[in-house]
């Protein structure tokens, strides 16, 4: 008898990350993975390098120093923090711990693809709720809750749409959920949000027993290669996660670099200021080219390509030919869109120049039009 995986595993569409290389291109502008254009803090790099001679040692399985640093930085309870190999691992651990065959995992229509992948991996059924103008609809989510719903994932801000819900709406969602439904607030892009009515989720975690907040060091802190994330949980959920996670699930160098990154507040502010400048600039430029940039509270912009422009696939091929790699969005149910990370100043200017060429606006400029 042939070896076969558990039923349902082969129905999972594997997650495909953003491309990094283009054949035949000497220089590539990678805008596909929402990475920080400023890179990691110099302090984080030094902390990483300092542990080169300690690679034969196991890391601290409890990530004590990192949890204490996070607690100090965010004014949280260190005992409620669980660290993981990126928030991706924590998503998988939560689903493994709280869902299984016959259960449902609910999320917004254009939510992060790891939610359905994690659900299917344990035999649970992923369920989506429609959005309103590419924004999570609280009433639609609540309407999809059934007695089989075990977890509701809400990315806020959402990837890939960039939309963001105010704290009052998230609270309304929590208040109308049954106590046996776990609300997971995925706040991977929280550090980029400056709107006054936003709250990443820690306040709800401290008031309720069925809310978890997820965060990551992969975005504004520029530590994507080290795979380091964390969850803020009710005590009972933290206890469960610590029972199911691997004993050494975060590397020693990753923990040290993350602590140093938290301490370098100046570098974080510089990354936020860069995004605050170039995200609206890029959105304005592409809007002027007849494209549709959707409002974003992250470090990326979802751009819609109307049929008159030739569409997103034609734009992707053209941009790739110019060395620019945005993210294809068909897998998220957005075939007319591409997602662009906010890169360096030079990268954004070159990308706009390529888009201007694609839309024909460079020819208009050559005839005396405005640029």
């Amino acid at each position: 008898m042939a070896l076969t995986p558990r039923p349902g595993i082969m129905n999972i569409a594997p997650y495909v990350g953003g491309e990094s290389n283009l054949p035949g291109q000497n220089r590539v502008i990678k805008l596909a993975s929402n990475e920080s254009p400023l890179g990691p803090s110099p302090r984080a790099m030094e902390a990483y390098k300092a542990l080169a001679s300690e690679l034969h040692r196991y890391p601290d399985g409890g990530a004590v120093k990192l949890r204490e640093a996070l607690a100090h930085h965010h004014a949280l309870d260190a005992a409620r923090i669980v660290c993981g190999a990126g928030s991706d691992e924590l998503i998988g651990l939560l689903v493994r711990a709280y869902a299984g065959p016959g259960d449902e995992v609910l999320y917004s229509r254009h939510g992060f693809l790891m939610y359905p992948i994690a659900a299917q991996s344990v035999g649970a059924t992923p369920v989506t709720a429609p959005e309103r103008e590419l924004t999570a609809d609280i009433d639609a989510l609540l309407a999809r809750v059934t007695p089989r719903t075990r977890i509701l994932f809400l990315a806020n801000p959402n990837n890939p749409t960039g939309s963001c819900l105010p704290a009052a709406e998230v609270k309304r969602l929590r208040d109308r959920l049954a106590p046996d439904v776990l609300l997971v607030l995925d706040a991977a892009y929280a550090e980029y949000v400056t709107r006054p009515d936003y709250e990443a989720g820690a306040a709800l975690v401290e008031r309720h027993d069925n809310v978890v907040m997820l965060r990551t060091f992969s975005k504004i802190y520029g530590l994507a290669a080290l795979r380091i994330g964390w969850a803020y949980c009710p005590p009972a959920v933290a206890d469960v996660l610590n029972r199911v996670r691997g004993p050494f699930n975060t590397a020693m160098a990753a923990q040290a670099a993350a602590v140093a990154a938290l301490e370098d507040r100046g570098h974080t502010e510089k990354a936020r200021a860069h995004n605050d400048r170039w995200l609206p600039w890029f959105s304005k430029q592409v809007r002027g080219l007849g494209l549709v940039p959707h409002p974003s509270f992250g470090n990326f912009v979802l751009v819609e390509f109307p049929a008159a422009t030739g569409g997103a696939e034609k734009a992707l091929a053209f941009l790739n030919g110019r060395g620019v790699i945005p993210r294809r969005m068909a897998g998220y149910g957005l075939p007319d869109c591409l997602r662009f990370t906010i890169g360096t100043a030079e990268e954004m200017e070159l990308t706009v120049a390529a888009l201007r060429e694609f839309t024909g606006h460079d020819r208009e400029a050559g005839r005396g039009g405005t640029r």
Side-chain angles (χ1 to χ4, degrees):
M1 181 180 293
L3 183 66
T4 58
R6 190 175 54 74
I9 294 296
M10 299 309 296
N11 295 328
I12 298 174
Y15 183 84
V16 178
E19 295 180 353
S20 299
N21 300 294
L22 292 172
Q25 294 291 338
N26 294 324
R27 179 185 177 179
V28 168
I29 298 175
K30 184 187 177 187
L31 305 177
S33 300
N34 299 345
E35 297 153 335
S36 171
L38 304 190
S41 156
R43 295 188 197 178
M45 288 189 281
E46 286 303 316
Y48 177 84
K49 293 175 183 176
L51 290 172
S53 64
E54 299 294 316
L55 300 184
H56 59 301
R57 305 293 185 191
Y58 282 99
D60 171 14
V64 173
K65 290 183 179 179
L66 176 54
R67 290 191 296 109
E68 289 176 346
L70 285 164
H72 175 74
H73 187 87
H74 295 283
L76 302 175
D77 179 0
R80 292 171 171 243
I81 296 173
V82 179
C83 296
S87 53
D88 292 345
E89 183 195 22
L90 295 163
I91 289 168
L93 290 175
L94 287 166
V95 172
R96 174 182 161 195
Y98 290 97
D103 295 331
E104 295 177 348
V105 173
L106 176 62
Y107 63 103
S108 190
R109 170 66 181 89
H110 301 298
F112 188 32
L113 287 179
M114 285 306 300
Y115 307 151
I117 289 174
Q120 289 175 289
S121 73
V122 299
T125 301
V127 177
T128 63
E131 297 179 352
R132 182 178 300 173
E133 297 180 353
L134 297 184
T135 302
D137 185 329
I138 298 303
D139 293 316
L141 283 165
L142 290 167
R144 291 294 194 277
V145 175
T146 75
R148 294 185 297 277
T149 306
R150 298 274 66 83
I151 302 176
L152 194 165
F153 282 103
L154 177 67
N156 196 38
N158 184 56
N159 170 33
T161 62
S163 57
C164 184
L165 291 175
E169 277 293 274
V170 179
K171 180 180 181 300
R172 184 166 73 88
L173 173 63
R174 208 303 318 176
D175 289 347
R176 294 182 58 184
L177 281 179
D180 63 345
V181 176
L182 181 66
L183 174 60
V184 180
L185 301 175
D186 187 346
Y189 299 91
E191 287 84 1
Y192 292 105
V193 184
T194 57
R195 60 185 293 178
D197 60 353
Y198 175 77
E199 205 281 313
L204 285 178
V205 173
E206 294 186 340
R207 289 198 299 267
H208 303 286
D209 295 331
N210 65 332
V211 183
V212 169
M213 176 184 70
L214 298 181
R215 304 288 286 269
T216 184
F217 283 90
S218 295
K219 305 306 175 185
I220 203 167
Y221 293 109
L223 298 179
L226 298 186
R227 310 309 305 129
I228 189 84
W230 56 285
Y232 193 54
C233 318
V237 177
D239 177 53
V240 167
L241 289 180
N242 282 320
R243 292 171 186 269
V244 297
R245 69 174 177 84
F248 304 106
N249 64 326
T250 57
M252 180 191 302
Q255 293 177 28
V259 170
L262 286 173
E263 294 171 347
D264 194 350
R265 293 176 184 260
H267 186 78
T268 306
E269 287 300 324
K270 188 182 297 183
R272 185 181 296 109
H274 178 89
N275 197 66
D276 288 346
R277 175 181 179 184
W278 288 99
L279 188 149
W281 179 87
F282 179 72
S283 296
K284 180 180 179 181
Q285 296 298 314
V286 299
R287 186 179 298 108
L289 300 178
L291 308 176
V292 183
H294 291 279
S296 175
F297 290 87
N299 66 333
F300 56 88
V301 179
L302 183 71
V303 178
E304 187 174 341
F305 288 77
T309 68
E313 286 298 317
K314 184 176 180 180
L316 179 65
F318 184 91
L319 291 168
N320 285 173
R322 301 301 186 274
V324 180
I325 310 179
R327 184 68 179 270
R328 176 186 276 112
M329 288 287 103
Y332 281 92
L334 298 164
D336 299 326
C337 298
L338 299 175
R339 191 193 67 196
F340 294 79
T341 305
I342 299 304
T344 65
E346 181 186 17
E347 288 173 339
M348 300 321 293
E349 289 171 345
L350 289 172
T351 298
V352 167
L355 287 169
R356 185 178 290 120
E357 185 181 356
F358 171 72
T359 57
H361 283 69
D362 61 329
R363 294 190 294 274
E364 293 177 13
R367 294 194 298 269
T370 60
R371 297 185 69 175

